[in-house]
Each structure stands twice: as C-alpha cells, then as structure tokens.
Amino acid sequence: MGGGSGSPVLARNQLNIFLVIALILGVIAVLTVIYVISKIISNYHKSPQYLEKKRQRPSSNSDINEISNYAHLSKEEHALLSRLCKDNPSPNIIYAVQDLTYINDILKNLFEKIDSEANEKAKTVLFSLRTKIFRAYTPPEELTSSRKIDVGTKMTYTASHGVHYRLLYVERTPDAMIINLPQNIIERNERPAPLSKISLIFEAASGAPYQMETRVVRYQRNGRNEEQMVVMHSEQIAPLQRRQVERIEMHEACAFASVSVSTLQEGKENKIVYKPSATMHKGLLLDVSAGGCRLVTNIPIKAEQFIYISGKLNTKNEDSAIGTILRTTKRDDGNFILHIKFVKIEQDVVNRIQSVAIGYA
C-alpha cells in the first residue's frame, strides 16, 4: 500500500507555525532597526555638535513667547525682548537666558542704543525686563559654608553707628578668610575689635544676598602694606531677601528741606502738590536706589514726614526728588540716618540712578 507524504491539516499547521515564526522574527527585526535608529538619533541629540547647532539657531517667535510667559513679561517688555533677539539672533534665547552674564552684556548694548535715542520710556522698560529675567533665571543656590564663597567677593560691614563699609575678600586659607579693609574705616577707627563677633553681608556669584556671622581673629598687613582683617570660616550663613532694585553706595553731600503737602482739584481728580520749604539743610547721602535713599543729618527729624532731597543722586548729575521718611535711626555719634522712600521723582532721574546702580552708565 503506498503511503502519502502527510496529512494536509498537519502541513497547514506547520506552515502556520513557520509564518508565525517569520512574523515574530520580522517584528523583532523591525523593532531592532527602530531601536538602533532611535539610539543613533538620541546620541546625536546629546552630541556637542547637535547641542551647539541648536544653541546657535536664531530665536523664533515661539522661543520668545516661551521666555515671555515664564518671566511674566508685559507687552512692552515682550516687544523689547523681540528687539533684543533681532539684534542678537544667536545664541538662541532659550539657551542665552542660562548665561546671565551674556544677557547682561547684550542688554547693556541695547541700553546704549536706547540712550542715544533719548528714549526714557524704553529705558524704563529695559530695566524692568532685566529685573524679571534675572529674577526668573537666577539659579537657586544654597550657601552653607564660607569656604564656598568666591575670593574677590565684596562684603559690607556696618559699624555700630550705622555707617556701611565695603570690604574685599582677597584670600582663603584652610582656617580663615583674609579681607582687605578700606582706608576710611581705618581713619575713623571703626574696625571691629579682635576676637569680637561681627556680621558681614555679601552677594554670592548668582547675585543672591547672604548674611554671615563670624569672629575677628587678628589684623595684619600684606606685602603692599595694606591692612587686612583675618576672620574665622563660618557655617552661620543665612540667605537674605533679594533687593528689588540695586543701590549705589556713596558718600555725597546733599541738601534737603521739609515739604508741605496740599491737594489741588483738577477736573474730577485730586492732584497732590508737594511744596519744598525755602530753608535748606545740609546732609550726606549714604546710598541711593531707584526707590529711595539714606542720608545722614544732625537734625532729629521724625518719621512719616515728607522731605525734598537735592544732590548728585547718581553720583554724577544734580537731581532732586520728593520722599517720605520711613524711619529715623540715631547713631552713636549723635547724628541721624533718615531712611527715605521716593514718592515723586522724574523718570529720567530714576533711569540715571538705575543705569549707574547696575553698571550701565
């Protein structure tokens, strides 16, 4: 009896098995190819060449919108950011904001152009744009030890009667910080006593302000015969609230007068009128910002009064402003520090102060 080659059902089953195996192998092959391609793409996207190409891509409207939304820019600030990106098409603004030194440089260049146009309104917008970008993109920083403070950092020491002195951190040793003293603190004999505890205020590289508690070890002189203060390293470092506006520290003579306030009705609105007294007094400006100032006088003026100030508010131009005295601090030498908030000041004066405070003037 002749036998057949096999059952047709068995043959079909074998064929189906082969098809399934082939299908599985095909899927595996396709997935392998996809994986290899995605890996190649992923590695390329991580490569320095791709990142540099992406970084150098000109900023698009969507990039500008992304920055604008994140930093909560106004319509005017958004428009000025667009002008900034047009003048500086690369690096891409998404990457440029990660380098605040670069952003500050191109903002300064834009300020110089606007200054040549004598556009005070645009200057005001530029300063507010700068503030918002720095606030949004300054990286968080937690400083817990003085050993992490950069050599070259400027520090402020406040003497017992309220005068601020700027010190310069010049050298780090394993156990101490060596700080150069300004000549005026020596001349006035206001150095803190050896072994005394002191507070120093400084800004980290990111611009974040801190206060450090430390102890004076001793005084010494360097090879250039400059007097130096040696203080202990410290872990007593606390963050301070960041200032909304920068200040100009100064030692400038000024004049001030009391101010009478009245209300004048203009149509349906009331206008506040400030009238300075003709009697002027001498004072000394300690610092000025776009929002206010501190001055020293020997007159015991109470807080919550209006005051007229005239002087070199930006250390260069003779300007004036009306302010209100927030508080008065009596110093050990019998003089008084008036802490003043401006309530009436011309926009061009504010811009002159701000341009000096941030180093654009």
Side-chain angles (χ1 to χ4, degrees), residues 15-209:
L15 181 61
N16 290 338
I17 291 172
F18 290 142
L19 288 173
V20 169
I21 293 173
L23 182 61
I24 292 173
L25 291 176
V27 170
I28 291 174
V30 171
L31 292 176
T32 301
V33 171
I34 293 173
Y35 173 78
V36 171
I37 293 174
S38 65
K39 195 70 176 176
I40 292 172
I41 294 173
S42 176
N43 289 338
Y44 173 64
H45 284 173
K46 293 177 182 177
S47 68
Q49 297 88 347
Y50 176 81
L51 294 176
E52 182 62 20
K53 182 179 179 181
K54 191 174 180 181
R55 195 177 78 90
Q56 293 300 332
R57 175 179 61 81
S59 303
S60 65
N61 287 334
S62 61
D63 297 327
I64 297 170
N65 290 338
E66 181 178 335
I67 300 298
S68 184
N69 292 333
Y70 185 76
H72 304 291
L73 302 185
S74 67
K75 181 179 178 181
E76 292 79 10
E77 292 160 354
H78 178 98
L80 197 60
L81 180 63
S82 297
R83 176 178 174 180
L84 188 75
C85 293
K86 183 178 179 181
D87 292 347
N88 303 272
S90 63
N92 183 275
I93 190 63
I94 300 294
Y95 294 85
V97 292
Q98 309 303 322
D99 184 351
L100 294 180
T101 300
Y102 169 75
I103 287 293
N104 193 56
D105 288 342
I106 61 175
L107 280 169
K108 184 177 180 180
N109 291 336
L110 180 55
F111 169 81
E112 291 171 355
K113 293 180 182 178
I114 293 173
D115 190 36
S116 66
E117 299 165 4
N119 190 336
E120 296 299 331
K121 184 177 180 180
K123 288 182 191 177
T124 302
V125 174
L126 184 143
F127 293 140
S128 62
L129 169 64
R130 179 184 182 275
T131 297
K132 288 184 179 180
I133 288 179
F134 272 64
R135 188 182 300 155
Y137 290 97
T138 297
E141 179 180 23
E142 185 174 353
L143 194 60
T144 57
S145 171
S146 62
R147 290 175 173 84
K148 295 182 179 180
I149 302 173
D150 292 339
V151 171
T153 297
K154 294 180 180 179
M155 300 183 166
T156 299
Y157 167 70
T158 303
S160 58
H161 56 265
V163 175
H164 298 303
Y165 293 99
R166 294 285 274 177
L167 320 177
L168 181 63
Y169 175 32
V170 294
E171 185 180 345
R172 179 191 301 113
T173 71
D175 301 315
M177 303 171 65
I178 299 176
I179 299 172
N180 277 5
L181 297 177
Q183 189 61 33
N184 56 356
I185 195 174
I186 300 168
E187 294 171 350
R188 297 170 190 164
N189 196 28
E190 292 190 336
R191 299 174 302 172
L195 304 182
S196 64
K197 287 186 176 181
I198 61 171
S199 293
L200 296 174
I201 294 175
F202 64 94
E203 287 188 355
S206 66

Side-chain angles (χ1 to χ4, degrees), residues 191-198 215-219 229-230:
R191 299 174 302 172
L195 304 182
S196 64
K197 287 186 176 181
I198 61 171
R215 187 182 293 275
V216 179
V217 178
R218 67 180 185 276
Y219 290 95
M229 179 173 66
V230 181

Side-chain angles (χ1 to χ4, degrees), residues 225-252:
N225 202 32
E226 297 170 328
E227 186 153 5
Q228 298 177 317
M229 179 173 66
V230 181
V231 302
M232 296 174 60
H233 277 302
S234 174
E235 277 71 47
Q236 292 181 279
I237 300 177
L240 299 175
Q241 184 176 0
R242 188 185 294 268
R243 284 177 175 171
Q244 297 299 313
V245 290
E246 291 85 350
R247 289 180 176 272
I248 308 170
E249 295 189 7
M250 59 177 65
H251 204 76
E252 292 279 349

